[in-house]
Amino acid sequence: MTDTARNRFETSSLCEQDVGDAIARIAARDPEVAREAGDVYESLTWGEGPGVLSQAGLQHWLWYVVPTKYITDEVGYMGQLAGAAAALLDELGLHAYAAICRSPETAAVHAAFDRSDNEGISALRKAMQRSGIDPPDLADFEWSSVMGPEEASARSAVQDALERAIAVGELAVGGRGWRAAQAAVATAALDGGHPILPGQSWRTAVITERLERWIAAVSGRSEQLSAARARVANRLLHRVEPPAGAQESLGPVLWLLERFGDEQTLTQAGYLKPAFVQSVQRDRPWTYRYELDRPPRTETDDMVLYHLRRWLQRAGALQKRKTLLRRTAAGTEMTADWHKAWDRLTRHLAPSGWDGFVAETAVLHLIDRGSEVSYKELTTLVAAVAVDMGWASTADGVRVLPSAMEVSWALSESLSSWRACDLVVDRGDWQDRRLALTEVGVAAVLTYLRHVGAGPRDSPW
């Protein structure tokens, strides 16, 4: 790819006659190249005309379609097709696009696919990132690997904006600070007005589409869960700011992260060593729901410590390598900036799998009710929703449906951490236990649900 090649025309100014004339000029020189150029044009535009030609579409065709979708044993066919495309694009005055066809990047991707599909995909990804028009993930927005129509259109709009920025010199790919400039262009395009939906941006349209899919994903199995998601959806359309008191609420978990230091050695069973556990007990900023009859000696004696530690691991603040648990760069950032800590911790408010399903369903009910809820009522409701959703275990070959007791066990880890950080109020005894979210807890839960419901998708549902 050369820095000097520029398109003489906007693709929107071209028509089918221009394409026909270009192919005729090529045919006068080489009929075989002209025939291939015609086939290339159809493959690039699918009958929609030259106005749909774009750098993103060309790169996708060159670096993915040509190596993987053409069924042929002909040696050198990828370079031959790229050459035909370059001839056509030059004739149309699209010299920047023709340069991509002849570029070292294209040759390298094709050579990698000749070696193996895995090497080819890796080379494709690197070439896309180096091109500058691959929409980057932003601090407050990540692209899905499986996209709905709105998100796919939004991604195309951002690609077009990046292409224009490069063409006019606003974005110098590879230059100093170009990644920050790329993110700024992408953000402006994502927050730009939607061409069809008045009052909406591409970002809000994508968020709405994701939330609709989140609701629809359960509507055929649990109407109760679907309705709960639908009732909270409007509160998830926009970022939820942490309220007053949020920094103080995170105090216990951030205290532990600070106290942790750079790394701690784990026992062979994977727990924090007794010496560290006992040192924590002298200053710990959390209390136990039920007083212990002796000071904790191991991590499993202090389940608040254990659950807070696991929360920090989920949030990427701590990372395990063999028998070492290390604080990550993200974890260090969290100790210095509580806003970053809030963002990471609320996104990972609950575990994954069964425990995560239980936690999500429980907080949906707490948000929906907006007041104290009987713990027995809550666990019974979640168990009923779990049955609707098809959760079950097997014991001695017999299918066992979830019970309120199993829900209670699954919820215990989350409640332990939330209680320690004053996100939830837990009143009463085991016979008459009641839960309610605090103001900070409501904000944390809404932030978590927004990440779950409106976050990037890696599956159709």
Side-chain angles (χ1 to χ4, degrees), residues 131-202:
S131 75
I133 67 162
D134 190 36
D137 286 337
L138 307 173
D140 57 354
F141 182 90
E142 295 177 35
W143 297 98
S144 301
S145 56
V146 178
M147 301 184 191
E150 283 294 346
E151 186 168 359
S153 296
R155 186 177 177 86
S156 293
V158 173
Q159 287 174 326
D160 291 344
L162 290 168
E163 180 181 343
R164 288 192 298 271
I166 293 170
V168 301
E170 179 184 344
L171 176 59
V173 177
R176 184 176 181 180
W178 81 273
R179 287 294 186 189
Q182 182 195 41
V185 172
T187 299
L190 192 62
D191 290 329
H194 194 285
I196 298 174
L197 303 174
Q200 287 214 49
S201 66
W202 281 113

Side-chain angles (χ1 to χ4, degrees), residues 262-278:
D262 292 331
E263 66 180 33
Q264 293 292 330
T265 304
L266 300 175
T267 66
Q268 288 299 316
Y271 297 108
L272 292 168
K273 287 207 164 182
F276 178 73
V277 173
Q278 290 163 24

Side-chain angles (χ1 to χ4, degrees), residues 162-438:
L162 290 168
E163 180 181 343
R164 288 192 298 271
I166 293 170
V168 301
E170 179 184 344
L171 176 59
V173 177
R176 184 176 181 180
W178 81 273
R179 287 294 186 189
Q182 182 195 41
V185 172
T187 299
L190 192 62
D191 290 329
H194 194 285
I196 298 174
L197 303 174
Q200 287 214 49
S201 66
W202 281 113
R203 185 195 297 263
T204 58
V206 171
I207 296 300
T208 300
E209 178 180 65
R210 289 177 177 179
L211 288 171
E212 288 172 347
R213 293 172 71 188
W214 180 57
I215 296 165
V218 299
S219 62
R221 290 175 286 174
S222 174
E223 291 305 320
Q224 191 169 31
L225 181 57
S226 177
R229 288 182 175 184
R231 284 192 292 271
V232 79
N234 282 342
R235 302 173 71 178
L236 309 180
L237 290 172
H238 302 284
R239 177 182 170 85
V240 181
E241 296 299 330
Q247 183 177 7
E248 291 74 17
S249 289
L250 294 183
V253 69
L254 293 183
W255 177 89
L256 176 59
L257 185 58
E258 183 72 45
R259 185 66 171 263
F260 183 89
D262 292 331
E263 66 180 33
Q264 293 292 330
T265 304
L266 300 175
T267 66
Q268 288 299 316
Y271 297 108
L272 292 168
K273 287 207 164 182
F276 178 73
V277 173
Q278 290 163 24
S279 74
V280 164
Q281 301 310 309
R282 291 191 291 270
D283 308 306
R284 58 178 169 80
W286 58 82
T287 58
Y288 302 111
R289 178 171 171 80
Y290 302 107
E291 285 300 322
L292 302 174
D293 57 4
R294 58 176 174 77
R297 291 192 293 267
T298 66
E299 190 178 11
T300 52
D301 288 338
D302 184 347
M303 295 309 291
V304 177
L305 169 62
Y306 177 64
H307 293 147
L308 289 177
R309 189 260 283 194
R310 283 168 57 88
W311 190 7
L312 286 168
Q313 283 185 257
R314 289 199 307 273
L318 302 177
Q319 187 175 57
K320 183 180 177 182
R321 290 182 64 85
K322 297 183 179 179
T323 59
L324 281 180
L325 190 61
R326 291 174 174 163
R327 186 165 68 188
T328 64
T332 301
E333 284 185 349
M334 289 165 65
T335 63
D337 186 339
W338 75 267
H339 287 93
K340 290 183 178 179
W342 170 268
D343 184 61
R344 279 186 167 267
L345 289 166
T346 53
R347 281 171 174 252
H348 299 86
L349 195 63
S352 58
W354 162 247
D355 289 359
F357 167 80
V358 167
E360 179 193 332
T361 308
V363 296
L364 275 169
H365 187 60
L366 289 170
I367 282 280
D368 203 21
R369 185 66 70 86
S371 59
E372 281 192 348
V373 175
S374 158
Y375 187 71
K376 182 178 180 180
E377 174 193 333
L378 181 66
T379 54
T380 301
L381 179 145
V382 174
V385 172
V387 171
D388 289 342
M389 291 297 295
W391 288 93
S393 58
T394 303
D396 297 326
V398 178
R399 189 168 183 266
V400 180
L401 299 179
S403 67
M405 180 60 72
E406 287 169 318
V407 167
S408 181
W409 276 110
L411 195 54
S412 62
E413 174 175 347
S414 297
L415 284 179
S416 176
S417 302
W418 301 346
R419 191 188 306 111
C421 292
D422 292 328
L423 304 183
V424 66
V425 176
D426 192 346
R427 309 182 199 276
D429 56 26
W430 67 273
Q431 291 180 313
D432 184 27
R433 190 176 176 189
R434 299 177 304 283
L435 300 177
L437 295 170
T438 63

